[in-house]
C-alpha cells in the first residue's frame, strides 16, 4: 500500500490537476462567443484593424475571402481605370459592420492604409440608410446620401480622406426609393463565387435554410462591407518601420 508520504504526494497531484482543470473551465467561460448574429457589431477580414492602436500589423490578419477579392477587383476595374495600369486593386482587408435600426456610425476617416491612391469600396446590404459624406475637416458640412441595399460606393480621389459616417437606418416601416436593379452588378456577384455549370445555378451552393436566415436578418438589419487595399502594389508585407502617409 501507499505510505503516508506517497498518499500526500498523490493528493497534491490530484489537487494540482483539479486546480488546473478549474482554471481552464473558468477561462472557457470567460471566452465570448457570439451565439446569435443579433449581437454582432463588426467582423474583420484580412488585415485586422487595431481599434486601440489605430494601426494594421503583419501578425494580426486572417485569410481574405476569395469571393470578396474577386468582387471588389471587378468593381474597382469598372470605376478606377487608372489603377489598372498600377496593378489594379488588391483587396487585403475588410470590415463588416452590422447595424440594428437604432445604431449609427460617427464621423471618421479611413486614413491608416499605406496607399491612399487605392479606393475604399463600400457595399450596402439589408435596410437602407442615410450616409453622410463630409470634407477633409470635421467643420465642413456633410452631404446626405441614401445608401440602398445593393448600392456600392467608392471613397476615392478627393473623397478618399473625407470624413464620413452613417446618420440613421431607414426601417421597413418607412418609405424609401427602392434599389435600382443592375444586371452587371448581379453578374459580378455570381462571377465572384466559384461554381461549375452556367451562371443560373451559381447560387445553389448556398443551402436554402441559410438563404432564409440571411433574408430574415437583412429584413430588419443593415450590413455594410467596406473593403480596402492596405499596402502599395510593390510591397508584400508590413514592416516595423512602415508608417501610414498621414502619421
Amino acid at each position: 500500500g501507499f505510505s503516508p508520504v506517497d498518499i500526500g504526494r498523490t493528493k497534491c497531484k490530484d489537487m494540482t490537476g483539479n486546480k488546473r482543470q478549474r482554471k481552464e473551465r473558468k477561462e472557457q467561460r470567460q471566452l465570448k462567443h457570439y451565439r446569435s448574429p443579433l449581437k454582432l457589431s463588426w467582423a474583420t477580414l484580412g488585415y485586422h484593424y487595431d481599434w486601440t492602436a489605430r494601426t494594421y500589423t503583419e501578425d494580426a490578419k486572417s485569410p481574405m475571402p476569395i469571393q470578396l477579392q474577386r468582387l471588389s477587383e471587378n468593381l474597382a476595374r469598372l470605376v478606377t481605370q487608372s489603377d489598372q495600369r498600377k496593378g489594379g486593386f488588391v483587396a487585403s482587408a475588410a470590415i463588416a459592420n452590422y447595424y440594428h435600426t437604432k445604431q449609427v456610425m460617427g464621423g471618421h476617416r479611413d486614413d491608416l492604409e499605406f496607399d491612399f491612391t487605392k479606393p475604399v469600396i463600400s457595399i450596402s446590404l439589408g435596410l437602407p440608410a442615410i450616409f453622410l459624406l463630409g470634407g477633409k475637416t470635421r467643420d465642413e458640412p456633410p452631404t446626405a446620401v441614401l445608401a440602398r441595399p445593393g448600392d456600392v460606393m467608392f471613397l476615392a480621389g478627393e473623397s478618399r480622406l473625407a470624413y464620413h459616417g452613417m446618420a440613421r437606418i431607414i426601417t421597413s416601416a418607412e418609405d424609401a426609393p427602392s434599389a435600382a436593379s443592375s444586371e452587371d452588378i448581379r453578374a459580378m456577384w455570381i462571377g465572384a463565387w466559384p461554381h461549375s455549370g452556367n451562371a443560373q445555378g451559381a447560387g445553389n451552393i448556398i443551402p436554402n435554410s441559410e438563404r432564409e436566415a440571411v433574408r430574415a436578418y437583412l429584413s430588419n438589419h443593415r450590413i455594410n462591407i467596406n473593403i480596402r487595399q492596405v499596402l502599395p502594389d510593390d510591397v508584400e508585407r508590413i514592416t516595423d518601420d512602415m508608417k501610414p502617409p498621414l502619421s
Side-chain angles (χ1 to χ4, degrees):
F2 288 121
S3 68
V5 174
D6 291 328
I7 294 174
R9 288 174 178 166
T10 304
K11 287 183 178 179
C12 287
K13 290 179 182 178
D14 289 344
M15 289 175 66
T16 302
N18 289 338
K19 184 176 181 181
R20 186 185 306 112
Q21 292 174 3
R22 287 195 299 270
K23 182 179 179 182
E24 291 174 353
R25 286 195 296 267
K26 181 179 180 181
E27 289 175 348
Q28 290 174 357
R29 287 195 301 268
Q30 290 174 341
L31 290 176
K32 294 183 178 180
H33 298 282
Y34 284 109
R35 298 178 182 273
S36 168
L38 300 180
K39 294 182 178 295
L40 279 173
S41 294
W42 71 81
T44 52
L45 307 164
Y47 278 105
H48 292 208
Y49 179 66
D50 188 327
W51 301 88
T52 302
R54 296 192 76 250
T55 187
Y56 297 99
T57 59
E58 191 63 34
D59 58 355
K61 63 180 180 179
S62 58
M64 189 71 183
I66 187 65
Q67 297 92 337
L68 279 184
Q69 291 183 43
R70 290 173 176 172
L71 177 62
S72 57
E73 289 163 8
N74 289 340
L75 289 168
R77 194 173 298 116
L78 284 179
V79 180
T80 56
Q81 297 295 328
S82 61
D83 278 350
Q84 294 186 56
R85 295 191 293 270
K86 296 187 291 182
F89 179 85
V90 179
S92 54
I95 302 175
N97 294 306
Y98 300 81
Y99 296 93
H100 60 65
T101 55
K102 301 296 184 183
Q103 284 180 304
V104 299
M105 173 71 75
H108 64 284
R109 296 197 300 177
D110 295 322
D111 58 0
L112 291 171
E113 289 71 40
F114 296 93
D115 186 350
F116 295 147
T117 68
K118 305 297 183 179
V120 174
I121 303 175
S122 174
I123 302 171
S124 294
L125 304 172
L127 293 176
I130 303 300
F131 176 82
L132 297 179
L133 179 63
K136 293 186 177 180
T137 69
R138 292 183 180 274
D139 296 329
E140 298 180 50
T143 299
V145 180
L146 175 63
R148 303 165 300 182
D151 282 350
V152 177
M153 288 188 281
F154 279 70
L155 292 179
E158 289 297 313
S159 68
R160 176 60 181 83
L161 293 174
Y163 281 91
H164 57 279
M166 205 272 294
R168 67 179 292 255
I169 301 292
I170 300 175
T171 68
S172 55
E174 301 174 87
D175 291 329
S178 59
S181 61
S182 171
E183 287 301 314
D184 291 336
I185 297 298
R186 179 179 179 276
M188 282 192 290
W189 273 107
I190 292 175
W193 262 254
H195 60 86
S196 58
N198 59 39
Q200 296 298 322
N204 292 334
I205 60 175
I206 304 174
N208 286 335
S209 59
E210 293 188 16
R211 283 169 168 248
E212 290 303 317
V214 171
R215 186 176 292 111
Y217 180 85
L218 292 178
S219 67
N220 52 22
H221 293 80
R222 177 177 187 258
I223 298 178
N224 169 250
I225 305 173
N226 55 82
I227 309 159
R228 67 275 317 277
Q229 177 173 331
V230 174
L231 298 172
D233 290 330
D234 56 348
V235 178
E236 296 184 354
R237 57 182 287 113
I238 300 173
T239 57
D240 292 339
D241 60 337
M242 289 178 62
K243 301 293 182 184
L246 295 184
S247 295

